[in-house]
Amino acid sequence: MLQFRSDPDLLARLAPAKVRPAPDEGPERWQNGTAAFEAIAGIGAAIAHIQDVGMAAIGAHERALSRRFLAGIDALPAVRLHGPPDDDGRTPTFAVTVDGHTPVDVTKRLAAEGIFTWAGHYYAVEPMRALGLLDAGGAVRIGFVHYHGGDDVDRVLQALDRLT
């Protein structure tokens, strides 16, 4: 069995992120409060769900969603995809811009139709700058996951088409 030995001097030099009532000395200073039991239960349920569905099935379905979205966006000349134009090695998350609309405007219009996306730089400031999008408000991030279906992809594509 693996055993760990603590070095009190090393631990004393480290500054823990701790809750205010935790003491400044001893091992209790590393206490960060009561665990979020809801989050722990949610993580357990998510792991069980992924095990039930299977990563291979999730990956195959998400690749199919990507291919469907990429094929559909190809038919929308006013919508520009920023990133690889195929599903090889990518997740089903897409950065797009729409001619004549700011990313914020696009996300608001999509939200009005119950389609939730994100506008901005997504903390990828330098890639957005390199793409020339940073000063224009970034891009719209659209993502699909395994619980989406082809009809969800079609709904997004139709909503984007109505913007053009």
Side-chain angles (χ1 to χ4, degrees):
M1 171 173 270
L2 185 62
Q3 293 186 9
F4 295 94
R5 292 184 182 258
S6 65
D7 179 347
D9 292 331
L10 173 63
L11 289 177
R13 291 191 306 265
L14 299 175
K18 66 180 190 75
V19 293
R20 201 172 350 160
D24 292 326
E25 302 290 325
E28 294 84 14
R29 75 186 187 127
W30 292 92
Q31 298 298 317
N32 59 6
T34 304
F37 299 116
E38 301 86 353
I40 293 169
I43 289 168
I47 291 169
H49 173 74
I50 290 170
Q51 287 176 327
D52 287 346
V53 176
M55 286 303 293
I58 290 171
H61 183 69
E62 289 181 352
R63 281 188 301 281
L65 295 174
S66 289
R67 286 190 296 272
R68 188 177 189 129
F69 182 76
L70 291 166
I73 207 165
D74 215 24
L76 303 175
V79 179
R80 180 167 180 215
L81 174 70
H82 303 277
D86 57 45
D87 69 310
D88 188 34
R90 73 172 300 155
T91 62
T93 304
F94 309 93
V96 302
T97 50
V98 180
D99 292 346
H101 299 277
T102 67
V104 169
D105 178 48
V106 173
T107 58
K108 286 180 179 180
R109 303 261 308 263
L110 294 175
E113 296 191 43
I115 299 168
F116 302 103
T117 58
W118 184 268
H121 56 65
Y122 339 127
Y123 302 100
V125 173
E126 293 310 317
M128 288 293 175
R129 187 184 324 278
L131 291 168
L133 299 174
L134 188 60
D135 293 335
V140 177
R141 184 174 64 194
I142 300 169
F144 302 100
V145 292
H146 69 283
Y147 53 77
H148 288 116
D151 56 330
D152 294 310
V153 174
D154 295 344
R155 208 162 66 86
V156 170
L157 291 167
Q158 291 162 3
L160 288 171
D161 189 35
R162 285 190 290 277
L163 290 173
T164 61

